Amino acid sequence: MKSNRHVPLIKPSDAKSWSLCARRVWLDNKGDFELSPIEDEFEQLIVELGLAHEQTVLHQLSGTMVVHTATSPEDTQRLIAEGVPVIYQAQLLDNENGFIGYPDFLILHENGEYQPADAKLSLNEEKKEIQVQLGFYRRMLGSQLPAIVFLGDGEQALIGDEANAITNQFVTEMRELLANDEEPAVRYSHSKCRACPYYAHCKPAFEAKEELSLLYGVQGRAAMGLENEGINTITQLSATDPNSIPDIPYLKGNEKKQRAVFQAKAYLTDEIFQLSPVTLPEGQWVHFDIEDNPLTGSGEKHVYLWGFLVPDYSHDSFEYVWTNNGSEDKQGWLQFLSQIEQYRQQYPDLILAHYSSHERSTIRSYAQRYDMEDNETVAYLLGDDSPLFDLQKPVLDSLVLPLQGYGLKDICKHRDLVNFQWQDDDSGSQWSVVQFNRFLAETNLQTKANLKTEILSYNRDDVTATRRLEEWLRTNFLT
Ligand code: SF4
């Protein structure tokens, strides 16, 4: 890979990569990679929905104002000089500072200044990046007016001086990064790296040097602290007495140090380490998993599927609450509560097993959304004697596994661990969101029914996986 000698222009669309990883944004600008067009269907869906939303906003603005589409930076300057009401697809170029920006709209304010505006589906997921992007446009325009965000639910948000600090940080860091011809040294982050287009470029180098942050639970600052103690590789860590490691950031206390050493051993040998007895609650287990759509106009996640695997846990023991679209959101929630009441009657010692905190936090947010925190079923679900049981907890508390992430699929798909395989190998929560959005857009009833069947099948696999995980824990680790 060669580096380019010229310094690329700083553009606000770098904000997303910049917020994730310094090397990623450097490679975006100075790397010599031919990245293929977006293959990730979920990312593609976000782009499509974003473009559709931008067209909706354009249509609305065109209904009340004259909109001119800019064709170049010079054309944008000409339209600004003319004082046209709205400039669509504006192109702002500042060669002196090395900036280029493409605000969706520039809207003429009554004080004669132009106000930058972008169409964004919601502010929930990428608030930092959006603040940088809009703050950058304000900086380029030298505008005191707040920038406008046209949201998917028809509301508008304003971004003003509160975004200046993070925008300036972005500019300063980007200048430093882009002036450097060396690929920046960074740490491995499992959640960020495995979703990154440069994974195949970076991962082998991390592995070759046995980078400590490859280990689950060893974050960048902990890895740096270990290196300061002369522990530079996974092999060295695996051979270290945990009691000899001093407290370092994010690795304080004997338990964490012991875990880190076991995690290093597990990485090298594929061994499993049990730290403490696994305990599982007694009762009648029902396995539970939800599928939700974050790509809504309101920015509030819509749960389109509440799925359950009930005794006798066979293929036909899958039950669910389904909604056809976001307008059935409350109806689905109420049906879910009524389903819970049915299980509660049927199984007085109900254990509602799920994996990770997502199900519990979603129930809490739905109770708030519909002002139902005092509802009896909600109180039953979230109270002191809650039937909800997070199966990830005994795994994280008691086991060290030869894994880099402790997600349900990480554990269940591993051939030497639970070894449960999903029917569709490509399926996943983002896959399910893509299928549901196809379901929403589909007009052919048969195709729509097929999509629903696929989503249900995936959710059935999810709850079956938690059942298999329960069995695996009972068989191997129960005291
Ligand atoms: S794979 Fe990881 S380290 Fe490499 S650029 Fe992507 S996020 Fe950064």
Side-chain angles (χ1 to χ4, degrees):
M1 191 187 67
K2 67 179 170 55
S3 60
N4 301 330
R5 292 204 181 278
H6 76 277
V7 178
L9 296 169
I10 298 173
K11 52 192 183 304
S13 55
D14 286 326
K16 184 169 184 188
S17 283
W18 166 77
S19 71
L20 290 169
C21 172
R23 183 184 290 173
R24 180 168 173 167
V25 76
W26 187 92
L27 289 169
D28 282 348
N29 284 279
K30 303 196 69 158
D32 218 3
F33 292 91
E34 284 294 323
L35 286 184
S36 45
I38 304 171
E39 284 175 10
D40 183 323
E41 287 189 302
F42 183 72
E43 290 295 323
Q44 184 66 45
L45 175 64
I46 291 173
V47 170
E48 284 168 14
L49 292 174
L51 287 174
H53 174 48
E54 184 183 310
Q55 288 305 305
T56 304
V57 174
L58 173 63
H59 184 70
Q60 285 165 351
L61 290 175
S62 304
T64 54
M65 288 183 269
V66 179
V67 177
H68 292 259
T69 302
T71 55
S72 66
E74 297 73 26
D75 192 39
T76 304
Q77 287 309 316
R78 183 183 61 77
L79 292 168
I80 288 175
E82 282 178 18
V84 302
V86 180
I87 304 170
Y88 175 52
Q89 292 182 339
Q91 300 180 37
L92 301 173
L93 177 63
D94 176 350
N95 276 319
E96 198 176 322
N97 282 300
F99 295 162
I100 188 154
Y102 305 93
D104 292 341
F105 304 97
L106 291 180
I107 300 173
L108 186 63
H109 191 266
E110 57 193 22
N111 73 357
E113 279 185 43
Y114 275 94
Q115 218 168 354
D118 264 5
K120 303 282 183 194
L121 283 173
S122 89
L123 275 182
N124 290 1
E125 301 289 321
E126 296 177 344
K127 188 159 188 193
K128 188 172 162 188
E129 292 97 285
I130 293 172
Q131 283 200 321
V132 169
Q133 288 178 10
L134 276 297
F136 191 88
Y137 299 142
R138 289 182 77 232
R139 181 169 162 159
M140 286 193 81
L141 290 163
S143 174
Q144 299 303 310
L145 296 168
I148 303 170
V149 185
F150 293 108
L151 297 167
D153 61 359
E155 297 290 321
Q156 292 181 17
L158 296 177
I159 292 184
D161 288 345
E162 73 283 1
N164 289 354
I166 194 165
T167 305
N168 294 339
Q169 183 193 345
F170 166 74
V171 170
T172 305
E173 291 184 13
M174 285 299 295
R175 279 203 172 119
E176 282 171 19
L177 273 170
L178 298 182
N180 195 344
D181 281 338
E182 294 298 319
E183 188 176 291
V186 292
R187 300 287 179 180
Y188 180 77
S189 157
H190 192 59
S191 60
K192 290 175 186 171
C193 292
R194 69 180 166 175
C196 175
Y198 304 110
Y199 184 75
H201 166 70
C202 296
K203 184 85 185 291
F206 285 129
E207 287 173 338
K209 72 185 272 264
E210 288 195 18
E211 160 65 38
L212 291 165
S213 56
L214 285 167
L215 300 173
Y216 178 84
V218 180
Q219 316 293 348
R221 285 184 62 192
M224 190 167 70
L226 288 167
E227 286 168 0
N228 289 341
E229 297 302 320
I231 303 165
N232 294 300
T233 67
I234 294 173
T235 299
Q236 285 174 347
L237 179 58
S238 75
T240 302
D241 175 358
N243 296 317
S244 70
I245 304 173
D247 275 352
I248 52 182
Y250 298 97
L251 210 57
K252 292 189 174 129
N254 287 344
E255 196 192 317
K256 278 195 176 167
K257 292 171 201 166
Q258 178 67 75
R259 286 195 69 102
V261 171
F262 278 145
Q263 199 65 66
K265 289 183 200 284
Y267 179 92
L268 296 169
T269 64
D270 273 351
E271 281 177 274
I272 296 171
F273 296 91
Q274 183 163 3
L275 301 171
S276 59
V278 170
T279 50
L280 299 176
E282 296 295 326
Q284 190 63 68
W285 285 49
V286 167
H287 291 263
F288 167 46
D289 181 68
I290 60 174
E291 307 297 335
D292 55 39
N293 180 21
L295 306 176
T296 61
S298 66
E300 284 187 323
K301 290 180 179 176
H302 162 58
V303 177
Y304 50 92
L305 177 55
W306 311 77
F308 309 93
L309 189 70
V310 302
D312 60 355
Y313 313 111
S314 64
H315 187 266
D316 296 329
S317 303
F318 176 61
E319 298 178 349
Y320 62 88
V321 172
W322 170 269
T323 61
N324 287 305
N325 51 57
S327 66
E328 295 178 6
D329 188 70
K330 185 170 185 182
Q331 189 184 323
W333 160 244
L334 296 176
Q335 278 178 19
F336 161 70
L337 292 178
S338 122
Q339 187 81 18
I340 293 298
E341 279 304 325
Q342 189 186 312
Y343 293 143
R344 190 179 176 185
Q345 299 302 319
Q346 200 172 349
Y347 311 119
D349 54 353
L350 174 68
I351 304 295
L352 207 51
H354 55 100
Y355 195 86
S356 88
S357 57
H358 183 59
E359 276 67 21
R360 181 184 281 271
S361 61
T362 300
I363 291 169
R364 190 173 290 118
S365 73
Y366 262 73
Q368 286 167 355
R369 183 179 302 176
Y370 293 115
D371 201 15
M372 290 177 67
E373 283 123 313
D374 295 333
N375 172 279
E376 209 211 314
T377 314
V378 170
Y380 164 66
L381 284 168
L382 300 178
D384 291 343
D385 297 323
S386 170
L388 290 167
F389 178 68
D390 180 359
L391 254 179
Q392 192 181 38
K393 194 168 180 325
V395 173
L396 290 177
D397 285 351
S398 302
L399 302 178
V400 175
L401 303 173
L403 296 169
Q404 290 185 285
Y406 281 65
L408 182 64
K409 287 200 175 57
D410 296 315
I411 298 175
C412 290
K413 281 187 166 184
H414 196 296
R415 304 272 168 190
D416 298 329
L417 302 177
V418 179
N419 192 18
F420 171 78
Q421 308 307 323
W422 275 248
Q423 265 183 38
D424 183 342
D425 208 32
D426 294 333
S427 62
S429 55
Q430 291 192 342
W431 171 93
S432 181
V433 172
V434 172
Q435 305 314 310
F436 183 69
N437 277 272
R438 284 192 182 143
F439 172 89
L440 289 176
E442 185 58 59
T443 50
N444 181 296
L445 291 182
Q446 186 54 54
T447 310
K448 212 170 166 74
N450 293 345
L451 284 164
K452 179 176 173 181
T453 303
E454 282 180 28
I455 297 168
L456 291 175
S457 169
Y458 164 68
N459 186 255
R460 185 208 318 260
D461 276 353
D462 270 358
V463 284
T464 305
T466 63
R467 168 67 181 167
R468 294 292 166 77
L469 173 59
E470 178 207 341
E471 290 174 328
W472 182 73
L473 291 173
R474 287 189 189 284
T475 305
N476 295 289
F477 305 105
L478 228 54
T479 49

